[in-house]
Amino acid sequence: MNRIDNHLPTAQLQAIDAAHHLHPFTDAAELNRLGTRVITSADGVYLTDSDGVRILDGMAGLWCVNIGYGRAELAEAARRQMAQLPYYNTFFQTAHPPAIELAARLAQLTPGDLNRVFFAGSGSEANDTNLRFVRHYWASQGKPDKTIVISRRNAYHGSTLAAVSLGGMAAMHGQGGLPIPDIEHINQPYWYREGGEMDPAEFGLARARELEEAIDRLGEDKVAAFIGEPIQGAGGVIIPPETYWPEIQRICDEREILLIADEVICGFGRTGAWFGSETFAIRPDIMTIAKGLSSGYMPIGASVISEKIATQFEADAGEFFHGYTYSGHPVACAVALENLRILEEEAIVDTVAERTAPYLKRRWLELGDHPLVGEARIAGMVGAVELVAEKACRRPFAADEGAVGLICRNYSFANGLVMRHVGDKMIICPPLVISQAEIDELVALALKTLDQTHAHLRAEGMMVARQAAE
Ligand SMILES: *Cc1c(COP(=O)(O)O)cnc(C)c1O
């Protein structure tokens, strides 16, 4: 592979970055003090930074590089498509082969009668589409009052105005007067922190039944849809108890509301099946996809809508006044198609299900024995450990939420492993192509990181749990 190694020295890149580049989800003053880490190339599961340091990417970029870095076939697919037709829109009675083929391919891959695809540039945009779509769908069916979408606290559905409103992140809602009207949030199925005295099965049912209670409280004639991630990713890899999704599905079947599965992380093999909906037996009316759709090589997202709903919509809705310049971008579609070809022809999802995910699970769960870890959990290729001061009590640290997680993340980075911290949870989501030897390396680095963090906390007197009353 040709590498671009003629970049400026790291300190100069950092100075220019600080002067001109505003980063997402970043405290700019703090970043500029610390200096940004500049990533210059990547191959397989490894990143290389501007000083030539190699780092194992335990997060697949931002939960997206499912087939790993450095696949020249995707570069070639992009080059070919750019040469042939770099752009054309799909608005005015026009289409092009990549969008047509990708829509058909997605109809084939997604479960049930999810057969119609509305393209977007990202997961956030696709969820904006979903909000517009479900509201206009119900209006077109003579039910314009069905406008409310029910979501969960601590959900992540993206960062545009609609997507962030659908999400349940209190910190995000705190900036700019969000959520927008007619979005309701119920509690999440997060047993470790919120399960109290209930066992996980009982707790899963209780949290699912909050949906039924919310529908009764708001009125079924006012509720358009429920949206949920099969596994909450950005919220901290919250894997719901087994009882949760069957109960949600029962409620959605009994009530006249649409079920939206946000598969932006869970889709394309992450949970050991093509979609999280298959892993958890969810039958969504609409699926949000992005990230793994192109393995992050090009920005693309989509809403995949059931045949039944789309057919009614087509019959009654008239023109849907909605779309993006880059809906079905030909280069993004060509790259996504090539990504899906590789996932399928190299049997990557099967390998995950049969070999690497069971191995990662066994190795990752060993971390549960560490004195700093209250719980290790994993589903397919996405996992978390809960850092705690007292293993037995499931209470957070006395220190501010996230302080310990940040210390741990800094050790991890210094050790050459990307793990992310969400509060005091450490999470991983490696490329699906990670090998057994690379899994051993990941777990060894994670263990070293936990040991260093533990020693640090003891030295600083931070191994202290918050008092129960707080
Ligand atoms: C990342 C993410 C999104 C938003 O996708 P973007 O491409 O960042 O807009 C939406 N939903 C979930 C579950 C995600 O993880």
Side-chain angles (χ1 to χ4, degrees):
M1 286 273 284
N2 291 323
R3 290 258 168 86
I4 304 161
D5 287 329
N6 59 339
H7 55 74
L8 296 167
T10 300
Q12 226 170 317
L13 288 169
Q14 287 174 328
I16 298 168
D17 186 72
H20 299 297
H21 182 194
L22 282 171
H23 291 234
F25 283 95
T26 294
D27 176 335
E30 184 188 54
L31 176 72
N32 295 344
R33 186 164 46 75
L34 296 171
T36 191
R37 186 137 187 187
V38 183
I39 306 299
T40 52
S41 65
D43 195 30
V45 301
Y46 293 99
L47 308 168
T48 304
D49 74 10
S50 53
D51 294 327
V53 175
R54 214 166 81 122
I55 307 154
L56 202 175
D57 186 4
M59 282 304 298
L62 213 41
W63 325 79
C64 54
V65 188
N66 287 9
I67 63 163
Y69 298 95
R71 292 298 302 243
E73 301 92 324
L74 271 65
E76 178 52 27
R79 190 203 63 75
R80 242 186 290 123
Q81 187 57 46
M82 278 196 190
Q84 177 144 355
L85 180 72
Y87 177 75
Y88 201 70
N89 74 73
T90 52
F91 283 26
F92 310 118
Q93 209 188 331
T94 51
H96 42 67
I100 294 167
E101 282 172 36
L102 182 58
R105 189 80 189 86
L106 288 170
Q108 213 175 39
L109 275 174
T110 49
D113 74 336
L114 293 167
N115 284 340
R116 304 291 182 87
V117 182
F118 192 105
F119 286 112
S122 67
S124 300
E125 286 181 8
N127 278 327
D128 276 43
T129 296
N130 289 338
L131 184 72
R132 300 278 310 273
F133 181 90
V134 298
R135 286 181 175 169
H136 188 48
Y137 167 77
W138 285 117
S140 76
Q141 302 304 299
K143 297 176 179 172
D145 293 336
K146 283 172 83 70
T147 55
I148 298 174
V149 179
I150 300 173
S151 176
R152 285 98 52 87
R153 299 198 173 89
N154 196 39
Y156 188 78
H157 297 300
S159 199
T160 52
L161 284 177
V164 74
S165 297
L166 290 169
M169 303 269 172
M172 292 175 80
H173 290 170
Q175 296 176 340
L178 298 170
I180 58 171
D182 284 359
I183 313 282
E184 292 283 330
H185 295 87
I186 58 175
N187 284 310
Q188 57 179 333
Y190 181 17
W191 177 80
Y192 187 78
R193 277 283 183 244
E194 300 178 4
E197 298 302 310
M198 287 188 218
D199 66 42
E202 198 186 344
F203 176 72
L205 282 180
R207 284 289 155 101
R209 285 178 189 153
E210 288 194 18
L211 175 59
E212 202 161 41
E213 289 153 21
I215 296 169
D216 287 339
R217 175 168 48 81
L218 299 162
E220 190 173 335
D221 55 340
K222 299 281 196 308
V223 179
F226 172 74
I227 184 168
E229 304 153 80
I231 294 171
Q232 288 156 260
V237 186
I238 314 293
I239 304 170
E242 279 178 16
T243 49
Y244 181 78
W245 276 111
E247 186 67 1
I248 292 282
Q249 185 68 57
R250 175 192 68 76
I251 295 162
C252 291
D253 287 345
E254 289 179 14
R255 305 306 185 98
E256 190 189 52
I257 68 168
L258 301 178
L259 172 53
I260 306 170
D262 185 338
E263 294 262 8
V264 170
I265 287 176
C266 291
F268 306 100
R270 182 54 58 191
T271 65
W274 274 86
F275 296 95
S277 290
E278 293 162 316
T279 300
F280 292 96
I282 307 166
R283 294 187 308 280
D285 299 293
I286 300 174
M287 208 183 241
T288 320
I289 56 174
K291 293 190 173 125
L293 167 58
S294 66
S295 282
Y297 280 59
M298 286 293 287
I300 183 169
S303 305
V304 191
I305 298 164
S306 80
E307 186 79 39
K308 175 165 166 262
I309 301 299
T311 302
Q312 289 169 342
F313 189 80
E314 283 166 358
D316 305 322
E319 179 174 348
F320 185 27
F321 297 113
H322 175 68
Y324 309 105
T325 301
Y326 298 136
S327 286
H329 191 286
V331 179
C333 288
V335 168
L337 278 164
E338 186 64 6
N339 174 60
L340 297 179
R341 184 191 68 72
I342 289 174
L343 274 175
E344 184 165 53
E345 285 183 13
E346 297 184 6
I348 290 171
V349 182
D350 294 338
T351 304
V352 165
E354 289 157 22
R355 291 221 303 270
T356 40
Y359 185 70
L360 177 62
K361 179 174 186 175
R362 180 158 74 70
R363 299 295 333 270
W364 187 253
L365 295 186
E366 287 169 18
L367 299 176
D369 296 333
H370 193 276
L372 189 55
V373 173
E375 178 184 77
R377 56 177 179 260
I378 192 157
M381 289 294 212
V382 57
V385 290
E386 295 272 357
L387 306 185
V388 288
E390 289 176 33
K391 276 177 93 78
C393 75
R394 284 160 56 201
R395 285 206 304 272
F397 288 94
D400 286 348
E401 164 106 36
V404 169
L406 181 60
I407 291 166
C408 189
R409 191 202 64 186
N410 290 340
Y411 278 114
S412 184
F413 231 127
N415 288 331
L417 171 66
V418 177
M419 282 197 283
R420 178 163 159 194
H421 81 106
V422 173
D424 297 323
K425 300 175 271 290
M426 300 309 297
I427 61 187
I428 57 157
C429 180
L432 301 184
V433 296
I434 191 169
S435 68
Q436 288 209 356
E438 289 159 348
I439 288 170
D440 287 337
E441 185 185 349
L442 185 156
V443 174
L445 290 173
L447 193 56
K448 178 180 173 190
T449 299
L450 291 171
D451 284 343
Q452 290 166 327
T453 306
H454 191 211
H456 181 120
L457 297 180
R458 274 178 306 176
E460 301 287 325
M462 290 175 74
M463 282 298 284
V464 181
R466 199 171 298 175
Q467 288 308 304
E470 285 180 51

